[in-house]
Amino acid sequence: MFDYALYDPETRAPATDVPPGSCDSQVHIFGDRDHFPVRPDAAYVVYQATVDAMLDMHHALGIDRGVIVQSTAYGNDHAAMIDALHRAGPNYLGCGIVNDSTSDEELVELHAAGMRGARFNYHPKLKNRMPVPDEVIRTAKRVAPLGWHLKLHLNSVDPKPITDLLADVEAPIIIDHMGPLQYEYGLDDPNFAHICELLGRGNWWVMLSNGDRRSVAGFPWDDATAYAREYIAAAPDRVLWGTDWPHPLHSGPVPNDGELLDLLERYAPDPTQRHRILVNNPQEIFQFN
């Protein structure tokens, strides 16, 4: 289990200002270690990634809104998340880890605290219990009436059996980190074709994140840019952007978060496109008050 800062604390402003109401659709936070213990087998912890540090980062970027995504280090204990949402205020919502052990009463409490999504983590590096198919369907049926979205972290796995499982679910479904792309195949990647097909169904969304860290081309990440531009062309109203701060399990040089907004400008050179990705699309799916 790692315990060190994975982010550049000296966040620089992006080259181009972002519009008011911009949203970072995925960050993680950690609470005080004495009050919010992590799982003993957690894949990582970043105790420096407090809600205050996250808010400082967003202030430097010009970001007004955000979605705090539950770290697998906490399992489905959302105490640190609830504390962070309370501290961050109404411009921040949450996405948690929900399964059969989450009671109906807990769901009500989580919703009242600002939770608006349930995430299913399939990435093997996260050391979490893999979601069980029947349990995923049960969870989807429980959270959909609350207006929640579903979120899939599919890196390093075959996405089709999982996405097929949710074919009849009508709730919005977000695919994290541009999907489980195999960058060495470029636009010929069958996983990329599959994500594009899902985007054609109307309730599937994709998160533009981690393109820099998964690129095989390296800076300035032309391979990630090619994927992102195709996603934007395919579903301009169902594309989101996130920093994935504090960049857990990053194996290479961690970018300054200002660089990631500069990368978004390469993904979406048109200011109208960026406004949609940063403001309109998050408002549509997350329903900020």
Side-chain angles (χ1 to χ4, degrees), residues 35-55:
H35 293 94
F36 304 109
V38 300
R39 293 166 30 207
D41 63 341
Y44 70 95
V45 294
V46 190
Y47 284 119
Q48 300 89 341
T50 64
V51 65
D52 291 330
M54 180 269 293
L55 291 171

Side-chain angles (χ1 to χ4, degrees), residues 86-205:
H86 175 74
R87 292 170 180 268
N91 281 348
Y92 286 81
L93 298 172
C95 180
I97 297 175
V98 178
N99 52 39
D100 285 349
S101 68
T102 309
S103 69
D104 291 341
E105 291 76 15
E106 286 177 294
L107 275 184
V108 171
E109 292 173 1
L110 291 172
H111 187 83
M115 202 77 72
R116 293 297 183 269
R119 193 189 199 203
F120 303 105
N121 294 288
Y122 291 90
H123 191 7
K125 285 187 178 180
L126 293 173
K127 297 183 180 179
N128 59 289
R129 178 175 68 89
M130 287 294 171
V132 177
D134 289 347
E135 191 174 40
V136 170
I137 293 300
R138 286 193 295 270
T139 298
K141 290 180 177 178
R142 294 176 68 199
V143 304
L146 296 172
W148 289 20
H149 63 273
L150 308 179
K151 208 162 189 284
L152 303 179
H153 189 181
L154 301 174
N155 284 9
S156 303
V157 299
D158 179 1
K160 199 165 188 309
I162 300 162
T163 59
D164 285 351
L165 182 68
L166 298 169
D168 296 327
V169 172
E170 296 183 1
I173 305 172
I174 301 171
I175 296 177
D176 277 345
H177 307 321
M178 299 170 72
L181 300 179
Q182 303 163 103
Y183 278 64
E184 62 273 20
Y185 294 111
L187 297 182
D188 294 326
D189 177 5
N191 286 349
F192 172 67
H194 179 58
I195 304 306
C196 289
E197 187 272 325
L198 292 173
L199 290 175
R201 298 184 187 181
N203 67 315
W204 289 78
W205 298 60

